[in-house]
Amino acid sequence: MSDEVDERVTPPLVDEAVKKAAVCWVSSGGGPAYALWCLPLDGTLLVVTGPGEQAAAGLADSETAEVTLRGDHGGRIVTWSARVTRLRPGTEEWDTAAPLVAAKRLNASGTAVDLVERWAAQGCALNRLTPAGTAVTGADLPDGSLSEQPRPAPVVRAVRKPFRLHRVRRR
């Protein structure tokens, strides 16, 4: 990866949650949190966003984000601030990380090599989320569910109700 020294000290809960993460909720710029599939790598999370991939408005251009991870029971166990680093095609970091992420991408058409080439050609962002700052855990987490109405999405269609329901014919 890079030559810079990473002197961060993360709580054991964050380290364990990151190692087991397959999905994370990421909020950047004070916007809503998006559920994103992710790949843990060396104590960080890697996420891909952009055309043909998952959407996370503003994440690729942000320097920081809030990341929430769940535990084995499915509930939120930790929220932490992350330093966002965008990996660029053609760099050593990209060449190392992109094939690993592509290999774990479910339901992708083509090979991992094809997928990495498509990400580079279409301007998809491969972001590294590195824990930074203080983690919020246990009793410090919000008591409420933080649920909200579903956001509008282009993939949602209104379904018409049938004109008439089936009737069971009696003899």
Side-chain angles (χ1 to χ4, degrees):
M1 301 256 173
S2 72
D3 294 333
E4 71 183 51
V5 177
D6 190 1
E7 298 178 358
R8 67 189 158 91
V9 177
T10 56
L13 177 62
V14 173
D15 285 336
E16 283 302 310
V18 166
K19 286 178 192 175
K20 295 180 178 183
V23 175
C24 60
W25 284 259
V26 180
S27 171
S28 62
Y34 292 89
L36 305 173
W37 69 270
C38 59
L39 177 72
L41 182 66
D42 299 330
T44 66
L45 296 175
L46 297 172
V47 298
V48 178
T49 60
E53 295 298 327
Q54 52 199 355
L59 180 62
D61 300 320
S62 183
E63 293 180 8
T64 61
E66 291 292 315
V67 178
T68 299
L69 298 174
R70 64 183 179 170
D72 294 335
H73 61 14
R76 176 180 56 234
I77 60 168
V78 64
T79 297
W80 43 272
S81 295
R83 186 174 65 245
V84 179
T85 306
R86 184 170 179 176
L87 307 183
R88 304 279 179 185
T91 64
E92 182 181 335
E93 291 177 314
W94 174 277
D95 294 341
T96 302
L100 296 173
V101 177
K104 296 294 183 179
R105 169 71 162 81
L106 298 177
N107 303 323
S109 59
T111 66
V113 173
D114 296 337
L115 189 56
V116 170
E117 289 173 1
R118 189 188 73 185
W119 289 344
Q122 292 183 346
C124 290
L126 176 56
N127 299 298
R128 181 188 312 118
L129 307 175
T130 306
T134 306
V136 178
T137 63
D140 295 332
L141 289 169
D143 287 337
S145 71
L146 302 181
S147 66
E148 53 185 69
Q149 290 291 344
R151 291 184 285 274
V155 296
V156 178
R157 294 184 295 172
V159 178
R160 290 180 31 193
K161 293 182 180 179
F163 177 72
R164 188 157 83 172
L165 298 174
H166 288 315
R167 285 192 270 174
V168 177
R169 293 183 183 177
R170 296 182 188 235
R171 292 183 183 214

